[in-house]
Amino acid sequence: MLDLSHVVMNGRPHSPFVELGRENGYIENENLTDSELIMIVYLNGEFLEKENALISVEDRAFLFADGVYEVIRCYGGRPFRLEEHLRRLDESIRAVRIDLSDSRPIGEVAKRLIVENGLTKGDALIYIEITRGSAPRVHIFPPKGTKPTVYVGVVEFHPKHSQMENGISVILVPDIRWTRCDVKVVGLLPNVLMAQRALDEGADDAIFVRDGVAIEGTASNVFGVFGGVVVTHPKTNLTLAGVTRDVVLELCIKLGLPTREAPIMESQLSEAEELFLTSTTMEITPVVEVDGRAVGGGKPGPITRRIQKEFRELVRSSRD
Ligand code: PDD
């Protein structure tokens, strides 16, 4: 159980109700760049300056990538679909059997960090990481009572507007990940390697292919439009159940667009009328080129545009 009444600020007891932030003069120099700003983060019950937030070299995430995470978007300082992200975080925690009974206060921690860091107006990202804690390196779980490491940080976010507007190119890559991609674990090396391979090959991103199926992006879900039907991979152990994916399916229903949750074969990609990726950071980003070949005439399609427009409306109404 995380108990916010015990939080301390840089070693001093700190009221959770004191509103600090850039606009309140807490961070005085407005001319500092993002990287120079004093950022406040949360680590294991304390609100600290980021540079003072230190974890052990024996942390299980450092040694074994033994941890889970979440990334949540804030629009105008408001976390978007917070409950859904926290529910998925809980599912990840339970899936990997980390001993944290109640992760709900993390939502309050995140909201407070938005204020503390003066991010109540623009775009921001909340990053949450929970690890199995710190203990001498043995593969089995650490001794009972080892406290999980709980980290929450926020950063200003700059969306890639031109990619959302003009679309991106992707390459297809083998899905070399494990078979529990539904769990949001911090072990992202295959995603890192493939995202970099895409960049090295002059593309913007990569789509993982397993057994001939286009599974998902390196950090996003994949949607295709076939005969006017909006198709995405079903929620299985092979994909992350994206929060944005669910929002898009809801928006399709609202727009009267037919949807289907079914595998998209690699061989079908060239026939797709439209293709797009969805995620907390990419929102709805059209894919206009796959492995050097144009998709849907090489420009974002009308259904993608309608969904993007509806998504913007939803975001606008959720920040009011
Ligand atoms: N990743 N699939 C994978 C493998 C992802 O890493 C993500 C998001 C998604 C989309 O999920 P959501 O719509 O809930 O953001 C799908 C985050 C953004 C990241 O790792 O930074």
Side-chain angles (χ1 to χ4, degrees), residues 223 228-232 248-253 257-261:
F223 282 75
V229 180
V230 180
V231 183
T232 192
V248 165
L249 289 174
E250 278 170 33
L251 295 179
C252 286
I253 292 169
L257 296 167
T259 61
R260 195 148 62 90
E261 294 179 56

Side-chain angles (χ1 to χ4, degrees), residues 69 71 85 88 177 184 191 216-221 240 242-244 278-281:
Y69 78 106
V71 181
H85 282 281
R88 187 171 65 187
R177 299 174 300 165
K184 209 161 170 54
N191 311 58
E216 63 179 346
T218 59
S220 59
N221 293 109
L240 185 76
V243 170
T244 323
T278 66
S279 83
T280 294
T281 45

Side-chain angles (χ1 to χ4, degrees), residues 32-50:
L32 292 175
T33 64
D34 277 2
S35 58
E36 291 165 327
L37 281 174
I38 299 163
M39 296 301 288
I40 304 298
V41 301
Y42 172 91
L43 180 66
N44 298 331
E46 291 187 81
F47 287 87
L48 299 161
E49 288 180 12
K50 192 170 165 187

Side-chain angles (χ1 to χ4, degrees), residues 16 67 100-101 105-106 145 160 181 194 202 207 229 234 264 266 287 291 311:
L100 187 74
S101 55
I106 288 175
K160 294 185 173 166
C181 298
M194 293 310 178
I207 290 177
V229 180
I264 300 171
E266 175 183 355
V287 174
D291 276 347
F311 187 85

